């Protein structure tokens, strides 16, 4: 069964314990913050600014994702009309499989324009539905939420949807810090641990310095 990824481009491929497999979908339908294979000239340097496993709680691990897309939540870090110049991403999950934390960094020919279009696209995507690998996704919602501000500008969103009778929740931040745009999220089958996510975000922004 697929698990859905918002930031790093698609379905989560790590095998989950049987107790969690009934709703193996996480962090916004497929590829929401995904990007294409091009625009990678500065990626090696950008990757040094990503979160590392040493910064995660004990027992967490690095996980991989595959590409996909559902509804209006696709390619959020590659908005139309903006030239993407480099990207880097990483993804982590707890030993139990959830929560999942995803981070993607991106640079653009015009950073402010890229950030503004990403935020506008999320704000416009209030409802979504669709399917991924034969699994029906219903009741998808995106809403702006209050959250601490980071970098030069930031916006936070709460995302939820239902897959196989289980509701998935995610909090997502889009941050513009100097020439870099950051997408970072935490997703779970229950309410997101806001204080834990804030800790991850603080580390992610500090790594950009």
């Amino acid at each position: 069964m697929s698990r859905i990824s918002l930031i790093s481009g698609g379905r989560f491929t790590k095998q989950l314990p049987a107790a969690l497999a009934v709703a193996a979908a996480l962090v916004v339908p497929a590829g929401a913050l995904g990007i294409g294979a091009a625009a990678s000239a500065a990626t090696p340097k950008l990757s040094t600014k990503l979160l590392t496993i040493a910064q995660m709680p004990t027992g967490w691990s690095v996980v991989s994702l595959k590409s996909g897309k559902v509804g209006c939540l696709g390619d959020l870090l590659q908005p139309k009309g903006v030239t993407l110049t480099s990207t880097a991403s990483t993804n982590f999950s707890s030993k139990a499989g959830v929560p999942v934390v995803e981070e993607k960094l991106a640079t653009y020919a015009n950073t402010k324009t890229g950030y503004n279009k990403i935020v506008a696209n999320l704000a416009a995507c209030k409802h979504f539905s669709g399917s991924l690998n034969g699994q029906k996704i219903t009741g998808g919602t995106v809403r702006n939420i209050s959250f601490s501000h980071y970098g030069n500008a930031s916006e936070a969103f709460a995302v939820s949807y239902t897959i196989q009778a289980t509701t998935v929740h995610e909090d997502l931040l889009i941050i513009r810090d100097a020439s870099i745009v950051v997408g970072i999220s935490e997703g779970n089958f229950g309410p997101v641990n806001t204080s834990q996510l804030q800790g991850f975000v603080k580390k992610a922004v500090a790594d950009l310095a």
Side-chain angles (χ1 to χ4, degrees):
M1 190 182 301
S2 296
R3 160 192 227 132
I4 306 169
S5 161
L6 180 122
I7 291 186
S8 296
R11 55 191 179 87
F12 180 49
T13 58
K14 181 178 178 180
Q15 292 297 312
L16 295 178
L20 297 177
V22 77
L26 213 302
V27 195
V28 178
L33 293 186
I35 56 109
S40 59
T43 298
K45 181 178 179 181
L46 203 60
S47 65
T48 66
K49 298 179 180 296
L50 290 167
L51 290 168
T52 67
I53 190 61
Q55 295 172 291
M56 307 307 290
T58 301
W60 285 50
S61 59
V62 178
V63 295
S64 61
L65 299 155
K66 293 185 178 180
S67 62
K69 181 178 179 180
V70 172
C72 54
L73 283 175
D75 301 328
L76 288 183
L77 284 193
Q78 194 174 1
K80 292 181 179 179
V82 180
T83 301
L84 182 68
T85 55
S86 65
T87 64
S89 64
T90 189
N91 320 285
F92 307 93
S93 76
S94 71
K95 186 176 181 179
V98 290
V100 165
V101 169
E102 301 182 73
E103 180 190 23
K104 180 175 285 291
L105 310 179
T107 61
Y108 304 89
N110 187 312
T111 305
K112 287 185 179 181
T113 300
Y115 169 83
N116 289 338
K117 287 201 172 186
I118 292 165
V119 169
N121 288 344
L122 272 166
C125 187
K126 297 183 184 301
H127 302 280
F128 64 89
S129 62
S131 62
L132 179 66
N133 299 329
Q135 298 175 41
K136 190 175 182 180
I137 297 164
T138 61
T141 63
V142 181
R143 60 184 177 86
N144 195 272
I145 58 173
S146 176
F147 210 90
S148 299
H149 288 280
Y150 299 93
N152 301 114
S154 64
E155 291 288 342
F157 299 86
V159 179
S160 66
Y161 61 93
T162 299
I163 182 168
Q164 295 197 344
T166 298
T167 301
V168 179
H169 302 273
E170 178 194 16
D171 285 355
L172 161 71
L173 274 82
I174 304 296
I175 303 164
R176 176 174 62 82
D177 189 278
S179 63
I180 298 174
V181 174
V182 184
I184 185 168
S185 68
E186 179 172 335
N188 209 330
F189 299 141
V192 173
N193 184 333
T194 302
S195 62
Q196 176 172 265
L197 176 57
Q198 286 177 329
F200 294 142
V201 173
K202 289 178 182 178
K203 292 176 182 178
V205 173
D207 287 347
L208 300 178

